[in-house]
Amino acid sequence: MCGIVGIASSKEFPIKGELLARLKKLEYRGYDSVGYATSDGICEKGVGELVKFIERVKDGKARTAIAHTRWATHGGVTEANAHPHSDCKGNLFIVHNGIIENYEEMKKDLERKGHKFRTQTDSEAIAHFLEEKMGKGMEKAMQEFMKDAKGTFAVLAIRKGDEKIYAMKRDSPLALGLANGEMILGSDIYAFSDKTNKAIFFDDEEYAIIDAKGYEFFDSKGKKVKKEIKEFTWARQEESKHEHPHYMIKEIHEQPVAAERLIRSLEADQAQKVEKLVNMMKEADRVLFVAAGTSYFASLLGVYFLNKAGLKAQTLIASEFENFMYADKTTLVIAVSQSGETMDAVTALKFAKGKGARIASLVNVPHSTIQRMSEVSLEICAGQEVCVAATKTFTNQVVALLFLASKFGFHADFEGLPLQIEKTIASNEGKVKELAKKLKDRNDIYILGRGLSYPSAREFAHKLKEIAYVHAEGMMAGELKHGTLALIEDGTPVFSLIPNGDADMASNTKEVEARGADVILVSSMPGSQFQIPTTNRGIFAILSVIIGQLLAYYIARERGLPIDKPRNLAKSVTVK
Ligand code: F6R
């Protein structure tokens, strides 16, 4: 979480039009507060959204500057706690993404040496630490910081009167974009993907010194490191909302095109990678998925498809992987992650790698940390997803998993899928909009699923929670009678996701209906409130979730909520 940007340019650039415009592209990483500092010693910070901050602050120019958008971890959401943080004299400024675990120890030590702290953040310790060690030069100070600091960090530092940016990285992501006459640092490639498709990705325990003319990378002991320049492609037009009021609805409507793009890519451009991954899956004793949130629900569908096709597969929430999963050298671990940066997943992969497991992944963001950790990594080709809630990336994750499962014999009609997504949206959106008006004041909504519709029920509920702030639960329909049925009362809204011909689902639905629930059917059966145009179960899993995406969106609109940036959340979760 937190987004950081740094620019070192041979020409002066406008703070608002360039530095803060780049920061805006990273705002989905956190939006509690913002701030920037320049090599002229100007530092401005504020709480709340970047657009408001831009309206408020005076514009200026700089040749070297850093900026930060925060997702608060240590210290409340206040102006003082906003980054950049400075040293005692206001000569050095830092922005930080990550957590300095031993900051209290560092702070005590630095206070004893006379440093005055002004914030409750862990990050401020970095500025004072560098100030304390600066006598030996900035490079030595960074080396000592990397030796003493525990925790995770992507740090950018600048000094007054010095046109260089000093960068350090451990675990938190950091990339350097090589543009014409300009070096742009960012937490990810979105910070500079409109200006250049050439980037260098920092590895752990590296620092770099960057100015407008160039860069030098070092390991944490000061030995020079030669870095490879990577090229990436990215669809820039996806950065705009076009005619839609929110990114979320735009991204829901992009799903037919995104799915089509992925299917073509898996069949052609990525065909060799698919073959390699399929072979790795065949060679492994067990295939374990690891993922978080929406990506976890996608991976659960992957497990269903693969198990049905005769392959031993399991999945677990990334943050509990170490506690409940066994991995060894006969295991293949496949991470499923939109961002490719989720710290819980990265940590689980490191654990599995340590046990000798092979690593693969499905990611959306090219060159992300998880992709770089993987022996083979499929890209899900959804294009940039700006809304914090995953929609098109969920669909494409499931399409990719379905595609892999099809190589083991699980049947799905990929040709017809984009059109089926389009039809699902077109024939149901109006009805969902109407229903949202009725449900907007409900506090509890349940979604029932069974087998393959269970992960879909979980994802349906997940969207309602994060976007509409509704307490929603995706439940196993067969498990209701073991306790949760007690929650059902007269008029309780219960969505039932019934894949074609699932008689058990149909009778579980009758059970809640008999207890007074207001049942809403999502199925391919005629007469369902929300009709899904497929009898294929794999495809049903994808299409039924689209009803949940639309419902979350329209309830949130009825409630007047900040749809693209829901409270307390961030898109790239780079803390444990
Ligand atoms: C849900 C959502 C989150 C993410 C989760 C994992 O809409 O966005 O639940 O799915 O934080 O993120 P990735 O997929 O980037 O690993």
Side-chain angles (χ1 to χ4, degrees), residues 291-297 336-342 345 370 385 387-391 393 397 459 462-463 466 570-573:
T294 290
S295 300
Y296 168 73
F297 303 128
V336 180
S337 173
Q338 184 286 127
S339 61
E341 299 294 350
T342 299
I370 289 176
E385 190 174 60
C387 176
V388 163
T391 52
T393 56
Q397 285 170 341
E459 172 56 10
H462 196 62
K463 288 285 100 56
E466 62 183 344
K571 194 157 186 72
S572 188
V573 186

Side-chain angles (χ1 to χ4, degrees), residues 29-50:
R29 301 180 70 93
Y31 28 85
D32 289 330
S33 62
V34 287
Y36 76 87
T38 73
S39 55
D40 297 325
I42 292 164
C43 180
E44 296 278 359
K45 344 202 236 186
V47 169
E49 281 204 55
L50 183 55

Side-chain angles (χ1 to χ4, degrees), residues 183-198:
M183 297 284 156
I184 308 169
L185 289 135
S187 297
D188 57 48
I189 56 172
Y190 301 141
F192 46 74
S193 55
D194 59 326
K195 272 224 163 148
T196 176
N197 69 340
K198 291 193 179 60

